[in-house]
Amino acid sequence: MSNVTLHTLTERKAAGEKFAVLTAYDATFSHLVSKAGVEMILVGDSLGMVLQGHDSTLPVSLDDMAYHTGAVARGNQGAMIMSDLPFMSYATVGQAMESSAKLMQAGAHIIKIEGGRWLCESVALLSERGVPVCVHLGLTPQAVNKLGGYKVQGRTRESALEMIEDARKLEEAGASMLLLECVPTVLAQEITMNAGIPVIGIGAGPHTDAQVLVLQDMLGITPGRRPKFVKDFMAQSDSIDAAVRLYAEEVRNGSFPSKEHGFE
């Protein structure tokens, strides 16, 4: 696979071609996932739960994210790397600049931040300075205490309209991508259709331009209850490589996610 860039993925959206995103946190899985043809690797702050054993993403530090981004970059074979800015590392514009620089220097190609239109100033300044930004809307895990748990967002007309407006203003500010987590399928479809930038979904139905899952979730090895939006691809595969390739294939041909993986 030749190196995937932001231009590559924007062209995919324009052509109506879907692309696959998976998490990875180390060089070994980065190599495997990128060799299997997954277009984008997310170095997620989900590592706080998956690798560190916390019950949320909040304890993850910027140093943690830089360390794992560097490891992923060294194993990567051409995928685009997106890294999360962790909790309270972008609370001010100055923090957003410094934190983003650290992750880009570690090997990220785009950074991801959680929040709504209050991020517009940071997004605009980062974009002007050559840092692509993906903004995470819907269920934002760093705000889990304010949201009252891991709940579907945008189910009321008022909250749906607010999310639509957030998406519009953030794109105008210079966001290069959006990520929608746990939002109703119809709302995700509306945002995706109106956006001129790629929209990644997780628990957001089949109409987004891309899908993302946590690697350990799609391999069926995460302990505890499996979220509704997760599918165990190892159940149909005889190796991790085969499971990753199947995931990427089903995302691209639109068979994943199916209706059972979304929310009304």
Side-chain angles (χ1 to χ4, degrees):
M1 178 175 70
S2 58
N3 287 354
V4 177
T5 66
L6 185 59
H7 182 68
T8 308
L9 301 182
T10 303
E11 282 191 328
R12 290 278 182 94
K13 177 185 176 76
E17 299 173 357
K18 296 182 183 292
F19 61 91
V21 187
L22 268 180
T23 65
Y25 314 104
D26 63 31
T28 300
F29 277 110
S30 170
H31 186 275
L32 185 150
V33 165
S34 56
K35 285 288 282 184
V38 170
E39 286 89 348
M40 175 179 275
I41 295 172
L42 170 60
V43 188
D45 60 0
S46 49
L47 68 87
M49 303 164 85
V50 176
L51 299 186
Q52 297 176 338
H54 298 298
D55 61 1
S56 76
T57 63
L58 272 60
V60 178
S61 70
L62 186 61
D63 285 342
D64 290 336
M65 293 306 305
Y67 172 87
H68 287 282
T69 297
V72 166
R74 289 187 288 274
N76 183 34
Q77 302 296 304
M80 189 171 182
I81 298 173
M82 179 161 66
S83 294
D84 279 339
L85 289 188
F87 180 63
M88 292 299 285
S89 68
Y90 52 98
T92 66
V93 173
Q95 278 185 312
M97 300 294 115
E98 292 177 7
S99 299
S100 297
K102 186 164 185 173
L103 295 192
M104 294 294 283
Q105 289 171 337
H109 302 123
I110 180 171
I111 62 104
K112 181 165 74 66
I113 50 180
E114 299 181 9
R117 65 195 75 171
W118 64 271
L119 288 167
C120 283
E121 184 181 3
S122 292
V123 168
L125 289 172
L126 285 165
S127 180
E128 285 173 3
R129 286 152 180 77
V131 179
V133 182
C134 175
V135 183
H136 184 149
L137 298 170
L139 171 57
T140 48
Q142 291 176 16
V144 64
N145 291 307
K146 183 176 180 181
L147 296 175
Y150 297 96
K151 300 177 179 179
V152 178
Q153 303 297 305
R155 274 187 159 151
T156 68
R157 188 58 185 161
E158 180 182 5
S159 62
L161 288 172
E162 184 173 349
M163 200 180 305
I164 290 168
E165 185 66 4
D166 281 345
R168 185 184 69 80
K169 288 191 172 182
L170 287 160
E171 181 177 355
E172 285 180 355
S176 295
M177 288 189 188
L178 298 172
L179 187 148
L180 304 177
E181 179 170 359
C182 290
V183 303
T185 296
V186 172
L187 174 57
Q189 183 177 21
E190 183 172 353
I191 290 173
T192 303
M193 287 177 61
N194 288 319
I197 55 178
V199 179
I200 302 166
I202 178 168
H207 305 295
T208 54
D209 303 305
Q211 299 293 329
V212 61
L213 285 178
V214 170
L215 177 66
Q216 285 80 352
D217 285 350
M218 59 80 64
L219 293 177
I221 59 174
T222 305
R225 181 171 167 268
R226 190 167 72 198
K228 180 182 181 182
F229 53 76
V230 171
K231 177 178 175 180
D232 178 1
F233 285 86
M234 273 300 291
Q236 301 168 250
S237 309
D238 59 6
S239 70
I240 293 173
D241 179 71
V244 171
R245 290 179 185 277
L246 179 62
Y247 164 73
E249 179 185 338
E250 290 198 2
V251 168
R252 291 190 200 108
N253 68 29
S255 59
F256 177 81
S258 63
K259 187 174 181 180
E260 70 185 274
H261 301 112
F263 302 96
E264 298 296 328

